[in-house]
Amino acid sequence: MLSVAVVGSGPSGVYTAQALLQQSLVPDVRVHVLDRLPTPYGLVRYGVAPDHEKIKSLQNSLRAVLEDERVTFVGNVGVGGADGVSPARLAELYHAVVYCVGASADRTLAVPGEDLPGSYSATRFVSWYSAHPDSDTDPFARGALDARSAVVIGVGNVAVDVARILARGAGELRRTDVPSAALRALEGSRVREVNIVGRRGPSQARFTTKELRELGALPGARIVVDPVELALDPAYAAPDGLPGALPLPAVARRNLEVLRGWSTASGAGAAGVPGSGDDAGRRIRLRFFLRPVELLERGGRVAGVRFARTVPDAAGGVRDTGQYEDMEAQLVLRAVGYRGVELPGLPFDPVRGTVPHTAGRVLRGGVPSPGEYVAGWIKRGPTGVIGSNRSCAKETVASLLADAAALTRRTAAGDPLAVLREWGLRPVEWTGWLSIERAEAELGRSLGRGPVKIPDWAGLLAAARDENP
């Protein structure tokens, strides 16, 4: 039997487990999927926006893998760090360990004023409304949403997600699993203008067309796009591609079409129809060719962002023009990308933010380390969409299977969970997760809603052990 631990129960971890189950080279495989949290699904549970029900339904396919009799979910077991199992000790329990720990840190702007109250990472905001048990609830529950104007720096799907949540009526979020405290805070939000700002042009934005169009479908919100900024992008006038250059990607062409329509709608650069009630007059502006250089302060808090105006250069990037624009904002969320975090006990490339590897085999001192593998963002960096993890996992599993004959000659624990308990850990198995699901369903029923997430460690662990959360 080949005994494998997969560290991380998000898409990359579950796709790794699935690839191990589907292969035929080694028919007898046992997979333990470990996670630091007592809940599975990783960013599908804690990163996908609550109003993206279709994407969140991916949990159903991940669930089918985790419920396979050859797979055991092992939650509430950290790897690395003071309270977790070291990679060296974990290697004692299994023939192979595949690390699928993602990229949990956010990139910074590295500009003056970034640490002012009112300035946060988009990751922090997402963790709050997604009920991640590690999230810091104080800023958004205690005044951050009193802002009139918000600036979201970045033009990827995360930026669009957080802008949409800020602009969406809280009443629409009642049918989602947003935790109660976050829903109350969003109901009291005073944000009426959201600016999504990128340093480059619309043809280089990283959001998908589906995400972009959703902004225009928000009830009670108006989309504003400046046609002058669009025209700065060379691809705007030549959507089929510039002479002598590679064709413009299809997603960029579609995005430009959407933005073109918004910039000319109503003859005033606005699209969408203002709603009524509490959400009336909310406005979303999409801005381009603006690079943040400083967060401005007033009264000890963020009061705005100073941007340098950029224009395209001859190399496909941008250059500053020497002109500046100050934009009012009492709330600033940066969504400029993720970065991998070093896992104590594993080698780490601080420049790339990944674990050094060859085809998924972890390299120690430039040499493959027997029985250690990586998949997902910690392997390739935070690139691609959820589905990209499938081919990434398959490559890693192919390397692992090629090594299987040598790996199975090593000794593995007969009952790894028993050993983990001997080491003082308290694993939450699949039955514990099912108990959490039941508790969240009951919590939702008591509030007249569908399932509502339990947002704290104590509540999750109590629910996992059939106690009252």
Side-chain angles (χ1 to χ4, degrees), residues 83-351:
D83 299 326
V85 182
S86 70
R89 296 195 81 184
L90 194 62
E92 299 172 8
L93 305 183
Y94 301 91
H95 293 124
V97 181
V98 186
Y99 293 91
C100 306
V101 293
S104 58
D106 59 274
R107 295 185 181 274
T108 63
L109 299 174
V111 301
E114 185 172 11
D115 295 329
L116 284 168
S119 167
Y120 310 102
S121 71
T123 304
R124 191 170 176 181
F125 185 55
V126 170
S127 293
W128 169 69
Y129 66 63
S130 297
H132 195 292
D134 289 339
S135 66
D136 179 3
T137 63
D138 283 354
F140 306 109
R142 299 184 181 181
L145 298 182
D146 288 343
R148 300 182 305 278
S149 179
V151 167
V152 181
I153 300 174
V155 282
N157 281 345
V158 173
V160 174
D161 274 352
V162 299
R164 192 180 65 256
I165 294 298
L166 285 170
R168 183 180 285 284
E172 301 170 60
L173 293 174
R174 282 189 57 82
R175 59 183 176 82
T176 73
D177 58 7
V178 169
S180 298
L183 186 63
R184 287 194 298 271
L186 289 166
E187 286 174 339
S189 171
R190 298 180 182 178
V191 175
R192 289 297 175 267
E193 179 157 299
V194 182
N195 292 276
I196 305 174
V197 187
R199 65 183 179 89
R200 299 198 289 181
S203 68
Q204 296 171 308
R206 304 300 292 272
F207 39 65
T208 59
T209 309
K210 179 181 180 295
E211 294 264 1
L212 183 62
R213 285 177 174 150
E214 286 178 345
L215 292 177
L218 288 175
R222 184 185 296 274
I223 310 298
V224 179
V225 181
D226 186 348
V228 175
E229 289 183 345
L230 297 186
L232 291 173
D233 193 326
Y236 183 68
D240 293 328
L242 299 172
L246 293 174
L248 197 65
V251 65
R253 291 199 304 272
R254 292 193 296 267
N255 287 345
L256 287 174
E257 290 172 6
V258 173
L259 294 167
R260 188 190 305 273
W262 285 342
S263 72
T264 58
S266 305
V273 179
S276 58
D278 291 341
D279 300 318
R282 283 186 173 164
R283 182 166 57 179
I284 302 174
R285 292 182 178 271
L286 287 104
R287 304 292 310 275
F288 300 97
F289 295 110
L290 292 170
R291 181 177 66 85
V293 294
E294 182 182 1
L295 271 60
L296 307 175
E297 178 266 340
R298 183 185 305 121
R301 293 185 57 83
V302 164
V305 184
R306 177 161 294 160
F307 291 96
R309 168 64 69 184
T310 65
V311 292
D313 62 18
V318 293
R319 61 176 176 83
D320 288 357
T321 64
Q323 299 176 318
Y324 296 87
E325 176 181 332
D326 290 354
M327 191 179 298
E328 178 190 353
Q330 299 82 39
L331 174 63
V332 176
L333 299 173
R334 64 178 183 273
V336 291
Y338 294 97
R339 180 175 177 79
V341 176
E342 181 175 5
L343 189 71
L346 277 186
F348 187 70
D349 181 343
V351 176

Side-chain angles (χ1 to χ4, degrees), residues 423-448:
W423 290 348
L425 298 167
R426 300 185 66 190
V428 170
E429 297 183 58
W430 191 250
T431 53
W433 159 240
L434 296 180
S435 294
I436 293 173
E437 279 193 318
R438 290 193 295 270
E440 292 184 337
E442 178 57 36
L443 176 60
R445 280 193 294 271
S446 72
L447 298 170

